[in-house]
């Protein structure tokens, strides 16, 4: 049957695309466990082997992690994000902090010049969510909320290339933040971010850049440090 292989390959690609869409749209966020194989079979209406092939392909590309006895988890939002995470997994934390500082400072400067009312409403909402996560005392919830807020700041720059690059570095930056925050939240790891939103709202590009540059560099004792004037 010469057409069977092309048809099977095409179906597999469709399933891969459907699963990838669930990841890239945030329906399945990084760190979450995706539905089980039988659930995916029922949802997609395809054979078990086709689902298994698609999941393995996305795991090979670095988007999923298949953990025997536990399930399959989302570890990156794109193939490039997966590559970034593997490439910089053992990077010097200081270098990650410096990269984050550089990107966020540039993005905040542009955000102050280009932000829309929609951007400001989004930043206000995410700033509130970040504070609520901190008050909950749950370190992982805070890491997620903080990362989401900073990505929104970068997105407010309306520089699509910068935003895509920052998103692809997302898990590398979250890993750095997890390490910096630790297993439990403590006063020295908390930084109020209202000044950054205020500077962006006021259109003060210089202040926004300075505040954003300092945030990633203020860490617990023994880690990267910067003058306290930025936060």
């Amino acid at each position: 049957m010469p057409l069977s292989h092309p048809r099977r390959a095409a179906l597999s690609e469709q399933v891969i695309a459907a699963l990838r869409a669930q990841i890239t749209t945030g329906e399945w966020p990084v760190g979450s466990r995706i539905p089980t194989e039988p659930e995916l079979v029922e949802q997609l209406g395809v054979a078990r082997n086709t689902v298994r092939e698609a999941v393995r392909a996305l795991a090979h590309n670095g988007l999923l992690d298949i953990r025997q006895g536990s399930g399959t988890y989302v570890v990156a939002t794109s193939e490039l994000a997966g590559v970034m995470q593997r490439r910089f997994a053992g990077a010097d934390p200081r270098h990650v902090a410096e990269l984050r500082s550089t990107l966020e400072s540039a993005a905040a400067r542009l955000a102050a010049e280009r932000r829309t009312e929609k951007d400001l409403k989004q930043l206000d909402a995410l700033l509130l969510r970040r504070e609520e996560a901190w008050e909950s005392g749950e370190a992982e919830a805070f890491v997620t909320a903080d990362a989401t807020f900073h990505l929104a700041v970068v997105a407010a720059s309306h520089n699509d290339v910068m935003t895509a690059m920052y998103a692809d570095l997302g898990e590398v930056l979250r890993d750095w933040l997890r390490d910096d925050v630790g297993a439990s939240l403590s006063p020295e790891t908390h930084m109020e971010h209202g000044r950054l939103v205020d500077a962006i709202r006021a259109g003060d590009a210089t202040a926004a850049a300075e505040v954003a540059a300092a945030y990633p560099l203020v860490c617990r004792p023994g880690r990267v440090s910067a003058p306290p004037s930025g936060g």
Side-chain angles (χ1 to χ4, degrees):
M1 302 283 295
L3 295 180
S4 61
H5 292 298
R7 281 202 300 270
R8 188 161 61 242
L11 180 59
S12 177
E13 288 299 323
Q14 291 176 25
V15 174
I16 290 172
L19 299 185
R20 182 186 284 108
Q22 298 279 58
I23 296 170
T24 57
T25 60
E27 185 70 22
W28 296 342
V30 172
S32 67
R33 184 173 63 181
I34 72 170
T36 63
E37 191 174 276
E39 290 172 335
L40 290 175
V41 167
E42 183 177 353
Q43 290 175 17
L44 298 171
V46 296
R48 182 182 294 262
N49 285 343
T50 303
V51 168
R52 188 172 301 160
E53 181 180 346
V55 169
R56 286 176 178 170
L58 292 174
H60 177 74
N61 289 345
L63 276 69
L64 298 176
D65 180 26
I66 302 172
R67 305 173 190 173
Q68 296 300 325
S70 176
T72 300
Y73 294 79
V74 179
V75 293
T77 55
S78 70
E79 283 81 359
L80 181 55
V83 171
M84 291 285 199
Q85 185 180 13
R86 293 191 299 273
R87 172 64 179 82
F88 298 115
D92 186 330
R94 178 182 296 273
H95 296 165
V96 175
E98 289 171 349
L99 173 62
R100 186 184 183 204
S101 175
T102 301
L103 287 175
E104 293 188 6
S105 178
R109 179 182 295 277
L110 292 174
E113 298 170 348
R114 302 175 179 175
R115 87 290 183 275
T116 64
E117 285 303 314
K118 182 178 179 180
D119 293 328
L120 293 174
K121 289 179 181 179
Q122 176 81 337
L123 290 174
D124 287 338
L126 293 177
L127 180 62
L128 177 60
R129 184 184 302 176
R130 181 181 181 275
E131 291 304 310
E132 290 173 345
W134 175 266
E135 292 172 4
S136 76
E138 298 181 9
E140 186 58 31
F142 175 71
V143 167
T144 299
D146 184 78
T148 303
F149 170 81
H150 284 282
L151 177 57
V153 171
V154 177
S157 72
H158 293 276
N159 181 313
D160 293 341
V161 175
M162 186 181 294
T163 302
M165 177 180 293
Y166 190 91
D168 285 332
L169 283 165
E171 195 56 29
V172 175
L173 302 178
R174 279 189 289 271
D175 284 345
W176 174 86
L177 184 59
R178 287 188 190 98
D179 185 41
D180 187 57
V181 169
S184 59
L185 304 179
S186 57
E188 62 265 28
T189 57
H190 180 263
M191 295 198 70
E192 192 277 325
H193 280 23
R195 286 183 58 202
L196 177 57
V197 176
D198 289 344
I200 292 173
R201 174 174 279 107
D204 191 336
T206 299
E210 290 177 353
V211 173
Y215 282 147
L217 297 178
V218 181
C219 313
R220 289 179 291 145
R223 294 293 303 276
V224 183
S225 60
S229 59

